[in-house]
Amino acid sequence: MKRVYFVLFVLFAAGCSTNKAVDVKESIVQKNEIAVEAEEIVYISQNSEDYTNAIVKNDFNATKEEFESLYFKAWNMNDANSTRDKVQWAFNVYKAGNSYGENLQPLKQDFFEEMKINSNFAQYSTLNKKAITLKDVDLRVFPTNRPLLLNPNKAGEGFPFDYLQNSAIAANKPIFATHYSKDKQWVHVFGSYAYGWIQADELVFLQNAQTELWRNARQLFIIKDGTPIYSTNGDFLFKSTIGTIFALIDEDDADFTVLAVAAYKNHEPLFVKAKIPKDIASEGALEFNPENVSNVINELLKSNYGWGGMYGQRDCSSTIKDMFAPFGVWLPRNSYQQSNIGTVVSLEELSDEEKIVAIKANAIPFKTLLYKKGHIVLYAGAVNNEIIIFQNVWGVKTKKDGVEGRFVIGKTIFSKLNLGENLSDYDENASILKNLKSMNTIN
């Protein structure tokens, strides 16, 4: 029987004490959460080829122009005045009394006052410059790398759910800068799908002529993660990320040559030529067929769960977004918005049995998304009459003696809709199937 890693409970009272756990090799500082080797509760094949053979070769209605318009959306901006109130939303949501810091202690009012002052919103939309990221960056809600957690004593809160992590943006992606923080360490930016703060040394500014050259070139789609990208002089630039596109300059038998951007000085760009191996990229969007879908899925299966893209990983919606990007299909960043794309069918008034019938009758493998509040998955077909889904998931909800907990999976997997039902404390009321609200097919 595989090992089960139990959690170390950290108790805070007048003093600080730690309970010892038996046979602990690794731990997660999270009350009521248990890390389980995923195979113990998944128990189905993780071989993508076992499911992608159900794909019927079929392209999407999306056009190259639509995808590129949304990809380069940040470079279409000229100012951000109309969004001044919108981008300050977090100061109305997270406050002293409902927020915790990295030491799992309540954040005090002076933290929020410091963040408000340093956010410098009096200068909002005074910079207004097109820019590009130099490396993979975290898009922060406040100008800080410190975390903001909800109650760490509750399952599903605390680590890894840092609510100041809005999203992540890959290297060499378009952004629009609105203004500097008061200390000039941070710049507030809009990406193509989210906004927030990045550090000032993580971007360079571009002129209109430079952005037009980039967006009007032949486009190269990255289809694999984690490959080091070097300049033609051999200098390391960044690692590849699925869904990124580059301006294609030239190619030979082994490599594409693209235009990339590195740092120069005073936020000025240094344009360099970079080599992209042909096995990690595609000129233009991929054809939607079993082989190509399997190749992309196999890359995504390597990703652990990363809330908001933290640690260079993915959460549920970024996994879905990056799954479709190499095929020239642009999806929004969050799960609710993704659930409204394409042909939508409500499942809210149906019983579990009726939902299963509706999904099998209407869903298309690897084109249909299934949505429940806060989570989205990809329908992968029916095997042995059971619905199979593809998802990136933190864990399975459990309940014992009225206390909610989690069995932590923390990675991208294929699973059944009743994931975790073999667990003794499985919470049936929290199952994916029972809580499905809709399904939608990407056309």
Side-chain angles (χ1 to χ4, degrees):
M1 181 176 178
K2 295 185 176 71
R3 293 188 304 271
V4 176
Y5 302 137
F6 291 91
V7 177
L8 294 178
F9 296 135
V10 180
L11 304 178
F12 294 93
C16 182
S17 63
T18 303
N19 291 343
K20 292 184 179 179
V22 180
D23 296 328
V24 172
K25 187 173 181 181
E26 295 181 7
S27 65
I28 296 175
V29 183
Q30 182 72 47
K31 189 173 182 180
N32 295 329
E33 299 209 359
I34 301 174
V36 181
E37 292 189 22
E39 290 80 0
E40 293 203 16
I41 57 177
V42 175
Y43 64 89
I44 67 168
S45 171
Q46 298 301 299
N47 182 2
S48 64
E49 286 79 6
D50 289 342
Y51 310 109
T52 56
N53 56 16
I55 293 174
V56 176
K57 178 182 170 182
N58 184 11
D59 289 327
F60 296 93
N61 294 332
T63 66
K64 171 179 177 291
E65 290 73 24
E66 289 171 338
F67 182 90
E68 291 181 5
S69 174
L70 291 166
Y71 186 93
F72 294 110
K73 181 180 178 181
W75 286 350
N76 295 333
M77 297 179 66
N78 294 309
D79 66 64
N81 276 315
S82 63
T83 58
R84 181 185 299 269
D85 294 333
K86 174 183 174 183
V87 299
Q88 300 182 63
W89 63 270
F91 289 104
N92 298 320
V93 176
Y94 305 123
K95 302 177 181 180
N98 70 358
S99 306
Y100 296 75
E102 63 274 13
N103 61 353
L104 307 186
Q105 297 296 300
L107 290 169
K108 299 186 182 303
Q109 181 60 32
D110 58 3
F111 168 79
F112 295 93
E113 291 174 357
E114 177 187 343
M115 291 298 104
K116 188 76 169 180
I117 292 169
N118 201 34
S119 292
N120 200 24
F121 280 113
Q123 295 298 309
Y124 186 74
S125 198
T126 58
L127 184 58
N128 292 339
K129 287 187 175 182
K130 296 176 176 65
I132 197 166
T133 54
L134 293 172
K135 59 183 181 179
D136 295 349
V137 301
D138 289 328
L139 202 56
R140 305 293 291 168
V141 174
F142 292 162
T144 180
N145 281 322
R146 292 181 61 187
L148 184 152
L149 311 173
L150 299 185
N151 191 343
N153 292 314
K154 291 184 178 180
E157 297 185 9
F159 180 86
F161 303 104
D162 173 7
Y163 282 84
L164 295 188
Q165 178 74 7
N166 196 19
S167 190
I169 303 179
N172 273 209
K173 275 200 169 184
I175 53 175
F176 180 81
T178 67
H179 72 294
Y180 284 100
S181 60
K182 192 172 183 65
D183 62 10
K184 298 293 182 75
Q185 181 183 352
W186 298 82
V187 181
H188 188 272
V189 304
F190 280 80
S192 300
Y193 47 78
Y195 54 83
W197 295 93
I198 68 173
Q199 297 195 62
D201 61 356
E202 296 176 327
L203 86 169
V204 289
F205 301 123
L206 300 180
Q207 301 298 320
N208 285 337
Q210 295 166 331
T211 63
E212 289 305 302
L213 173 67
W214 189 289
R215 67 199 299 175
N216 290 327
R218 296 157 58 199
Q219 300 299 337
L220 190 74
F221 284 64
I222 301 298
I223 59 175
K224 286 190 177 182
D225 283 333
T227 299
I229 304 300
Y230 302 93
S231 72
T232 52
N233 292 328
D235 297 321
F236 173 81
L237 298 174
F238 40 76
K239 289 188 176 182
S240 64
T241 301
I242 292 174
T244 308
I245 61 178
F246 288 93
L248 178 60
I249 299 173
D250 200 1
E251 64 179 295
D252 56 31
D253 290 341
D255 300 301
F256 294 109
T257 301
V258 302
L259 191 65
V261 178
Y264 180 48
K265 59 183 180 181
N266 300 323
H267 294 294
E268 292 295 320
L270 174 63
F271 286 89
V272 297
K273 292 181 180 181
K275 292 290 189 180
I276 306 284
K278 284 195 167 180
D279 64 343
I280 74 159
S282 167
E283 183 178 354
L286 289 173
E287 181 181 84
F288 191 79
N289 60 39
E291 180 182 2
N292 287 337
V293 174
S294 283
N295 288 338
V296 173
I297 290 284
N298 288 340
E299 286 299 305
L300 296 173
L301 282 168
K302 299 174 185 177
S303 182
N304 289 335
Y305 185 88
W307 170 258
M310 292 182 71
Y311 316 118
Q313 305 300 317
R314 293 179 172 88
D315 56 24
C316 66
S317 56
S318 60
T319 298
I320 299 299
K321 179 178 177 59
D322 288 350
M323 157 63 207
F324 283 93
F327 301 99
V329 178
W330 179 270
L331 291 183
R333 175 62 177 83
N334 72 55
S335 58
Y336 175 73
Q337 291 174 335
Q338 289 178 358
S339 73
N340 287 293
I341 300 297
T343 304
V344 181
V345 177
S346 175
L347 301 173
E348 286 198 85
E349 302 301 322
L350 304 182
S351 67
D352 288 358
E353 293 74 19
E354 289 170 332
K355 289 176 183 177
I356 291 172
V357 170
I359 293 168
K360 288 180 178 178
N362 297 287
I364 300 174
F366 296 95
K367 280 194 168 186
T368 296
L369 308 181
L370 305 177
Y371 170 75
K372 76 179 188 73
K373 186 177 180 180
H375 190 55
I376 197 157
V377 306
L378 180 64
Y379 173 73
V383 176
N384 296 327
N385 210 33
E386 286 206 70
I387 291 171
I388 305 299
I389 57 175
F390 174 75
Q391 62 173 328
N392 195 325
V393 60
W394 175 241
V396 175
K397 289 187 178 182
T398 61
K399 184 167 285 189
K400 184 176 183 180
D401 300 327
V403 178
E404 186 178 296
R406 294 290 187 281
F407 278 88
V408 177
I409 297 172
K411 62 190 291 186
T412 309
I413 57 171
F414 285 102
S415 75
K416 300 177 183 178
L417 272 177
N418 55 358
L419 174 66
E421 67 171 356
N422 58 325
L423 300 171
S424 59
D425 301 330
Y426 178 61
D427 184 358
E428 293 184 358
N429 291 323
S431 75
I432 295 175
L433 177 61
K434 187 176 291 294
N435 290 280
L436 283 180
K437 290 183 172 294
S438 65
M439 64 177 172
N440 59 300
T441 298
I442 311 302
N443 301 316

